[in-house]
């Protein structure tokens, strides 16, 4: 972390006073209901590492009672942004909105070191906003996996030189589709049988490259459930990573691009299959609330977003069956806490013949992934993951299901660290449901 100069501190205070929602800061009654829900507070009982503690720090900066120094920034960066505190708050404080605004102010008023500036510009401005560049990056990973280089790397000590949990994450990367497959993506899928709904699918960036198989499973399920699906070709990254990392203006531009891509489609819903993406999509109205020419359009877009599990429960699923197994479910924080979707995934899993569903203790607690949190805060992320794996093991489940790509990789990393790869698998819910539909068709 680069040192914060006095001039930067002064500018940061001015921006906090200008941009932070003071009424929202005052809404926090300091009642403490948020404390049991917070993973970082639960780790060491440090008040500053709690939601109300961080709100108090933000307010102190606005009031001029505290400097926005390195310790202040460290506490905000330590937050996972899981927003579980919002579900427990009797005052309805929008903690996530406060956190994103504060991080954006810190990012725009501080002078990053040259390496950090290069990395941020490359990732946020030159990579994620461009579909072809994301495909090119994944094509390199595909070559790494298919050429034999990965096997050589994994049988040497090279991975041990990688920082934090990067070596484990390398092991659990999904098999990347070929460059040709990533380019030949569908733009329309016809409903099977009686058409029940016409929907648009938000395919995302990582989901339509690294996790393309899950997107294909999503389209398969929507088709089987009687949904006609359009997939706008001019859509792009949702902007969630940008919004959570202090790149709010870039997130706004990406939101506008997606609104334009979807707004002329005559549809019932916009379907998302990634909790992290969906949570920002349903808040495009908040993101663009201060831009009159976009506010109403953003509101219409946000109202139409629905998670894949919700639409499948609504329209009904064909018969699902799998070989006998115990399954547990790990909530995606943003799917549960922002999109308010918790029961639909469980209903779908319980509807699979051959599956015994066992609820994991504290399934709604964050797994430690949180976007890129497990990369930039590996120590805390691993502590949170250790607890999560303990709860998962207590269910004796052979299959851990989740609904977000980051959560999926984190749970796969947990299975790898616990040396359970032969006994336990982690899967995205739509991949499991698609397998269940196919298995039922083959075993009538």
């Amino acid at each position: 972390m680069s040192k914060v100069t006095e001039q930067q501190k002064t500018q940061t205070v001015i921006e906090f006073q200008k941009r932070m929602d003071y009424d929202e800061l005052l809404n926090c009654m300091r009642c403490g209901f948020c404390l049991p829900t917070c993973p970082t507070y639960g780790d060491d009982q440090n008040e500053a590492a709690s939601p109300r503690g961080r709100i108090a720090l933000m307010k102190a900066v606005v009031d001029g009672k505290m400097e926005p120094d390195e310790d202040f920034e460290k506490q905000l960066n330590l937050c996972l942004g899981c927003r579980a505190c919002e579900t427990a708050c009797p005052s309805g404080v929008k903690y996530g909105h406060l956190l994103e605004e504060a991080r954006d102010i810190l990012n725009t008023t501080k002078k990053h070191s040259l390496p950090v500036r290069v990395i941020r510009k490359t990732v946020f401005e030159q990579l994620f906003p461009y579909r072809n560049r994301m495909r090119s990056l994944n094509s390199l990973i595909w070559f790494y996996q298919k050429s034999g280089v990965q096997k050589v790397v994994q049988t040497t000590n090279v991975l041990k030189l990688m920082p934090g949990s990067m070596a484990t994450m390398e092991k659990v990367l999904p098999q990347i589709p070929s460059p040709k497959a990533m380019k030949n993506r569908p733009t329309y899928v016809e409903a099977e049988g009686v058409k029940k709904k016409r929907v648009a699918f938000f395919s995302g960036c990582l989901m339509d490259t690294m996790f393309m198989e899950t997107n294909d499973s999503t389209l398969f399920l929507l088709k089987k459930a009687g949904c006609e699906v359009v997939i706008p070709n001019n859509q792009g990254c949702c902007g969630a990573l940008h919004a959570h990392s202090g790149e709010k203006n870039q997130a706004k531009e990406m939101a506008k691009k997606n609104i334009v891509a979807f707004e002329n489609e005559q549809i019932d819903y916009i379907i998302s299959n990634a909790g992290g993406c969906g949570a920002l999509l349903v808040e495009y109205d908040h993101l663009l609330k201060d831009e009159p020419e976009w506010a109403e359009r953003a509101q219409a877009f946000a109202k139409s977003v629905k998670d894949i599990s919700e639409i499948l429960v609504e329209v009904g699923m064909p018969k699902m069956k799998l070989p006998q197994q115990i399954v547990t479910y790990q909530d995606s924080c943003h799917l549960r806490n922002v999109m308010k979707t918790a029961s639909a995934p469980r209903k779908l899993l319980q509807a699979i013949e051959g599956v015994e569903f066992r609820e994991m203790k504290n399934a709604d607690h964050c797994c430690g992934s949180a976007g890129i949190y497990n990369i930039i805060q590996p120590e805390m992320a691993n502590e949170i993951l250790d607890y999560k794996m303990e709860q998962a093991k207590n269910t004796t489940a052979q299959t851990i299901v989740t609904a977000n790509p980051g959560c999926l990789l984190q749970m796969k990393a947990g299975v790898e660290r616990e040396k359970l790869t032969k006994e336990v698998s982690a899967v995205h819910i739509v991949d499991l449901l698609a397998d269940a539909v196919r298995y039922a068709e083959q075993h009538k």
Side-chain angles (χ1 to χ4, degrees):
M1 187 182 298
S2 56
K3 185 175 178 60
V4 182
T5 66
E6 290 303 318
Q7 183 179 3
Q8 289 166 355
K9 289 178 184 177
T10 300
Q11 183 60 35
T12 300
V13 171
I14 293 172
E15 290 298 315
F16 262 77
Q17 293 171 341
K18 183 191 304 182
R19 291 172 51 183
M20 293 300 292
D21 187 337
Y22 200 71
D23 288 338
E24 199 67 64
L25 291 171
L26 289 175
N27 277 345
C28 177
M29 302 184 299
R30 299 184 58 78
C31 63
F33 286 173
C34 61
L35 299 183
T37 70
C38 179
T40 55
Y41 174 79
D43 183 67
D44 60 8
Q45 305 291 295
N46 178 9
E47 179 67 26
S50 71
R52 72 175 182 184
R54 293 187 178 107
I55 289 175
L57 294 178
M58 296 179 210
K59 184 175 180 297
V61 170
V62 175
D63 292 339
K65 296 179 179 179
M66 177 181 173
E67 288 188 339
D69 54 17
E70 289 88 347
D71 289 337
F72 172 75
E73 184 177 358
K74 180 180 178 181
Q75 275 304 337
L76 294 193
N77 288 338
L78 190 63
C79 178
L80 292 129
C82 69
R83 299 176 66 168
C85 53
E86 294 184 16
T87 65
C89 180
S91 299
V93 175
K94 295 295 184 183
Y95 172 81
H97 296 169
L98 293 172
L99 178 68
E100 286 181 5
E101 193 69 22
R103 284 178 171 172
D104 189 62
I105 294 170
L106 288 172
N107 180 56
T108 54
T109 57
K110 75 178 294 185
K111 184 175 176 59
H112 292 291
S113 64
L114 180 59
V116 172
R117 290 203 304 274
V118 171
I119 292 172
R120 291 184 72 94
K121 185 175 183 63
T122 300
V123 172
F124 294 125
E125 296 181 29
Q126 298 178 352
L127 180 59
F128 275 87
Y130 300 97
R131 178 180 294 181
N132 287 338
R133 294 177 187 178
M134 290 293 292
R135 287 173 176 167
S136 296
L137 174 62
N138 279 274
S139 294
L140 291 175
I141 303 175
W142 171 82
F143 178 79
Y144 168 75
Q145 292 177 333
K146 296 298 182 182
S147 64
V149 175
Q150 184 179 38
K151 290 184 179 179
V152 173
V153 169
Q154 290 182 347
T155 54
T156 65
N157 292 324
V158 174
L159 288 175
K160 293 181 180 179
L161 301 177
M162 298 178 73
S165 58
M166 292 295 289
T168 302
M169 298 307 291
E170 188 275 344
K171 290 182 180 180
V172 301
L173 282 176
Q175 289 298 306
I176 307 299
S178 70
K180 181 180 180 180
M182 283 188 281
K183 288 182 179 179
N184 297 327
R185 302 301 293 145
T187 57
Y188 175 81
V189 175
E190 189 173 352
E192 187 171 294
V194 178
K195 185 176 79 171
K196 301 173 184 177
K197 298 288 181 182
R198 176 179 164 87
V199 301
F201 177 50
F202 184 82
S203 55
C205 51
L206 280 177
M207 290 304 299
D208 215 41
T209 50
M210 184 175 290
F211 297 92
M212 196 180 81
E213 183 179 343
T214 301
N215 270 7
D216 289 341
S217 294
T218 301
L219 296 176
F220 170 78
L221 289 174
L222 289 171
K223 175 183 178 178
K224 287 290 183 179
C227 293
E228 177 187 16
V229 190
V230 293
I231 308 102
N233 193 45
N234 55 337
Q235 62 178 295
C237 174
C238 66
L241 182 61
H242 300 72
H244 303 328
S245 303
E247 299 284 348
K248 198 171 183 180
N249 286 335
Q250 186 71 34
K252 288 181 178 180
E253 293 307 309
M254 297 164 90
K256 292 172 185 176
K257 178 180 178 180
N258 286 323
I259 290 170
V260 171
F262 284 86
E263 65 183 348
N264 291 324
E265 301 288 352
Q266 302 300 312
I267 54 172
D268 297 300
Y269 303 115
I270 297 172
I271 302 301
S272 168
N273 64 359
C277 297
L280 187 70
L281 298 178
V282 298
E283 291 198 332
Y284 271 5
D285 54 342
H286 171 75
L287 188 64
L288 297 171
K289 63 182 174 62
D290 296 324
E291 300 193 28
E293 68 275 25
W294 286 97
E296 187 174 338
R297 296 162 72 181
Q299 189 175 52
F301 180 99
K303 284 183 177 179
S304 66
V305 175
K306 186 182 286 284
D307 182 69
I308 176 68
S309 62
E310 293 281 4
I311 183 70
L312 293 179
V313 169
E314 179 179 331
V315 300
M317 285 287 289
K319 183 178 179 180
M320 297 185 291
K321 183 178 181 180
L322 285 172
Q324 292 290 328
Q325 60 188 283
I326 300 170
V327 170
T328 193
Y329 179 71
Q330 162 61 27
D331 285 282
S332 156
C333 292
H334 286 121
L335 180 60
R336 184 183 184 104
N337 301 329
V338 183
M339 297 188 75
K340 310 301 181 186
T341 298
S343 63
R346 290 169 168 83
K347 288 179 181 177
L348 292 169
L349 294 175
Q350 290 167 348
I352 303 174
E353 184 181 335
V355 162
E356 178 186 345
F357 178 77
R358 289 186 184 174
E359 188 70 46
M360 184 194 311
K361 180 182 178 182
N362 293 329
D364 57 340
H365 283 205
C366 186
C367 65
S369 171
I372 58 172
Y373 187 92
N374 54 356
I375 298 175
I376 61 176
Q377 300 281 354
E379 184 176 346
M380 178 64 76
N382 285 336
E383 289 180 11
I384 294 170
L385 179 58
D386 287 342
Y387 173 80
K388 183 60 62 177
M389 288 307 301
E390 181 182 345
Q391 308 315 314
K393 286 190 292 185
N394 287 341
T395 67
T396 68
Q398 292 95 28
T399 308
I400 303 173
V401 180
T402 189
N404 187 61
C407 302
L408 178 59
L409 288 180
Q410 184 76 339
M411 298 312 296
K412 282 180 175 289
V415 171
E416 178 74 27
R417 287 176 59 197
E418 296 290 329
K419 301 186 184 337
L420 295 172
T421 52
K422 293 182 179 180
E423 298 88 22
V424 180
S425 62
V427 300
H428 192 291
I429 186 170
V430 298
D431 290 316
L432 187 75
L433 295 176
D435 285 346
V437 172
R438 294 188 182 102
Y439 190 86
E441 290 177 343
Q442 295 166 2
H443 296 80
K444 292 181 180 178

